[in-house]
Amino acid sequence: MIRIRRAGSTNEPTGRVGSYYMVTTTDLVIGAAYLRCIGCNDEVRKPTAEFACPRCGDRIEVAYRREGAPDAAALRELWRERKTSAKPIDQSGVWRFREALPILAAGSEAVTLREGNTPIYRLARSAKSAGVDELWAKHQGMNPTGSFKDTGMTTALSMAREKGFEWVGCASTGNTSASMAAYAAYAGMRALVLIPEGKIAWGKLSQSLDYAATTVQLRTDFDGCVRVLGEVIGQFPLYLLNSVNPYRLEGQKTTAYEMMEQLGWEPPDHVIVPGGNLGNSSALGKGLREMRAMGLIGRLPKLSIVQAAGANPLVRSMRDSGGERLQPVKAETRATAIRIGNPASWKKAVAVLRETGGECLDVTEDEIGVAKAEIGADGVGCEPASAVTLAGLKKLTRSGFVKRGERVVLVLTGHCLKDPEYTMDFHRAEGDASMRKPPVLLDADAAAVIGLLGGMER
Ligand code: F0G
């Protein structure tokens, strides 16, 4: 018999701003959490500092020992009920689903900036251009620091604090660092950010400075930053918050839960995500898989991954070896968030493609620019890396993989204001003529403005 612990009976405030006791012992938890290697499948009691399996060196994931099936209807009700709670932990769109991620010990605290709870928007104009009747955007750019990274940062940084670390660190193309800097500052911890010099968007760099992280620009690319951070971690007690940290993916998977909840627990036919380091696609796939195992959804949507043509190691891997081997590339794209040539979570992403039957494809710089302008013209907007999803969808409808009557969700990963320079360049100079909306310079004269409006076509 399943008993529901009412929202009001848990999580007493500790008196520290933003910090509340976590209780992970409700009767509905999906099982006891442990770490498992995705290569040898063994339980990993003590991963390396870079979250590798100490035996075979492969990536690890959080797994759950389940006893029986949880009550799906009771879970749905509990998660919905928490939306009206005044407690910070319930107001988090990640910890609201905490029965699905019982990773913190009872009595531990979660560090939350009220991440998640992001909107899902209908895209009318973009749907028309892509050739589908029903198109949705799950806008992860509406998180506290403007990207999906917050959903995983709340979980992984809470683990860092539980483990007693003073320092956290990441290599980043800009969004992970912005997110980590904010959560670390909020928790009173210290943050080391390694970013590739000259290759991240200003909005993101400025966030890291504003949130008072120690920000280091290295004369290399993202993949070089990952390498250097790995060496630092070997010699300095710093908790790694890149997406090889499996607790990041546990938080990020809740986006899939929230998406299904918003769609009435009726899965769409397709979910389309950008692919960079491939943590997000892996996390969403894990969320979908677990929801099906728990009986929360009856089937899996096809999850497709889109990369920039200049940063497409997964596309090449699928094409050349069916996902058996990864051949790293020297990455180049103006969608700097996904300028990644040697993605950490590629094996997990391949598993998601295989399991859901999704496609893996790439799109050109021009296609990304137009798609971003179209999402903007829908009044929704996103950063360049997010726009690969619409550009990819257009290719998938042309190839017949996505059919007009199917329901599609694009995951928009970052906010429009992250990279205004890209947007300005597109509209002022470089963009496709059909989508450009450059600013108009006029004298301070009403007649001139009216003359302009009169001459415009709809
Ligand atoms: N979209 C945005 C806006 C991103 O910032 C990233 C990754 C991705 C998509 C790709 O997600 O890596 O999980 O496949 N940004 C990382 C960072 C690498 O450092 O901010 P992924």
Side-chain angles (χ1 to χ4, degrees):
M1 179 63 196
I2 302 287
R3 281 175 294 118
I4 302 175
R5 189 185 292 254
R6 293 287 149 190
S9 68
T10 60
N11 310 317
E12 296 306 317
T14 64
R16 285 169 63 177
V17 177
S19 307
Y20 286 81
Y21 281 125
M22 277 297 299
V23 176
T24 56
T25 51
T26 66
D27 299 318
L28 292 167
V29 291
I30 66 170
Y34 69 101
L35 296 176
R36 179 172 65 194
C37 173
I38 65 162
C40 62
N41 227 15
D42 278 357
E43 176 168 356
V44 176
R45 291 194 188 280
K46 197 169 171 6
T48 70
E50 289 182 76
F51 293 102
C53 169
R55 274 180 297 276
C56 75
D58 219 326
R59 302 277 171 235
I60 56 176
E61 64 179 356
V62 178
Y64 298 97
R65 279 192 196 87
R66 240 177 242 139
E67 290 160 20
D71 181 336
L75 279 171
R76 288 185 191 137
E77 189 196 324
L78 177 63
W79 293 339
R80 188 167 42 82
E81 197 175 83
R82 285 189 183 138
K83 284 186 180 180
T84 56
S85 162
K87 295 181 193 314
I89 198 71
D90 292 339
Q91 289 179 349
S92 162
V94 170
W95 295 107
R96 190 160 69 81
F97 298 102
R98 55 189 173 272
E99 286 70 20
L101 58 153
I103 52 177
L104 291 177
S108 277
E109 297 170 345
V111 181
T112 172
L113 288 169
R114 321 297 186 269
E115 52 290 320
N117 292 320
T118 55
I120 188 160
Y121 297 123
R122 199 72 192 257
L123 298 179
R125 193 186 188 293
S126 302
K128 214 168 176 186
S129 140
V132 291
D133 295 332
E134 193 178 340
L135 180 61
W136 297 88
K138 174 68 176 154
H139 207 326
Q140 293 301 95
M142 300 300 179
N143 269 292
T145 76
S147 86
F148 72 98
K149 305 290 182 178
D150 296 341
T151 56
M153 205 51 72
T154 183
T155 43
L157 190 126
S158 296
M159 291 302 286
R161 192 164 70 166
E162 181 180 283
K163 288 175 191 298
F165 279 86
E166 178 186 0
W167 279 92
V168 290
C170 70
S172 180
T173 56
N175 279 328
T176 301
S177 46
S179 180
M180 182 189 78
Y183 280 79
Y186 198 62
M189 295 166 73
R190 304 174 77 184
L192 171 69
V193 162
L194 298 189
I195 47 172
E197 201 240 326
K199 287 160 195 149
I200 79 167
W202 283 96
K204 305 175 188 180
L205 176 57
S206 67
Q207 283 181 291
S208 174
L209 307 181
D210 205 42
Y211 302 137
T214 299
T215 306
V216 182
Q217 296 181 276
L218 295 181
R219 290 188 197 89
T220 178
D221 54 12
F222 170 80
D223 301 292
C225 290
V226 170
R227 182 180 47 77
V228 172
L229 187 63
E231 288 173 29
V232 171
I233 281 169
Q235 300 164 53
F236 189 87
L238 182 147
Y239 189 75
L240 179 64
L241 284 177
N242 275 90
S243 57
V244 292
N245 182 322
Y247 301 112
R248 280 265 316 272
L249 303 198
E250 288 309 288
Q252 286 177 209
K253 82 181 180 189
T254 62
T255 299
Y257 286 69
E258 195 173 86
M259 185 196 298
M260 294 306 140
E261 184 186 57
Q262 286 167 316
L263 297 174
W265 300 100
E266 185 51 51
D269 299 293
H270 297 273
V271 175
I272 304 183
V273 295
N277 216 16
L278 299 173
N280 201 32
S281 34
S282 303
L284 296 174
K286 186 174 195 283
L288 292 170
R289 190 187 304 136
E290 288 178 359
M291 275 188 284
R292 189 179 55 174
M294 285 191 277
L296 286 161
I297 54 173
R299 62 181 172 83
L300 298 177
K302 295 189 174 77
L303 190 142
S304 293
I305 302 174
V306 189
Q307 299 195 298
N312 64 352
L314 186 68
V315 175
R316 286 168 192 247
S317 161
M318 294 304 290
R319 194 177 55 208
D320 299 345
S321 66
E324 290 302 310
R325 281 179 309 281
L326 186 80
Q327 183 60 47
V329 302
K330 183 101 187 95
E332 194 50 78
T333 170
R334 274 206 69 184
T336 50
I338 50 172
R339 195 173 184 274
I340 295 172
N342 190 14
S345 296
W346 68 274
K347 278 192 194 168
K348 292 183 182 178
V350 167
V352 172
L353 288 172
R354 287 180 181 155
E355 199 169 347
T356 69
E359 281 277 336
C360 181
L361 68 162
D362 57 11
V363 292
T364 65
E365 295 294 301
D366 286 347
E367 288 168 336
I368 297 171
V370 172
K372 182 175 134 50
E374 286 176 327
I375 294 168
D378 255 321
V380 170
C382 64
E383 68 163 281
S386 311
V388 301
T389 53
L390 178 61
L393 171 62
K394 289 190 204 172
K395 287 180 88 166
L396 293 174
T397 50
R398 280 202 297 274
S399 73
F401 182 75
V402 175
K403 316 237 171 351
R404 172 169 284 283
E406 290 183 319
R407 197 155 63 137
V408 183
V409 181
L410 309 179
V411 178
L412 302 183
T413 44
H415 197 278
C416 178
L417 289 175
K418 286 279 190 176
D419 194 352
E421 204 180 336
Y422 181 101
T423 311
M424 294 304 287
D425 287 349
F426 179 93
H427 288 286
R428 282 216 285 230
E430 295 169 4
D432 180 279
S434 66
M435 290 309 298
R436 278 180 62 204
K437 275 280 186 188
V440 180
L441 180 66
L442 293 176
D443 286 333
D445 173 13
V449 176
I450 291 164
L452 172 76
L453 298 182
M456 283 177 77
E457 288 168 19
R458 178 68 196 158

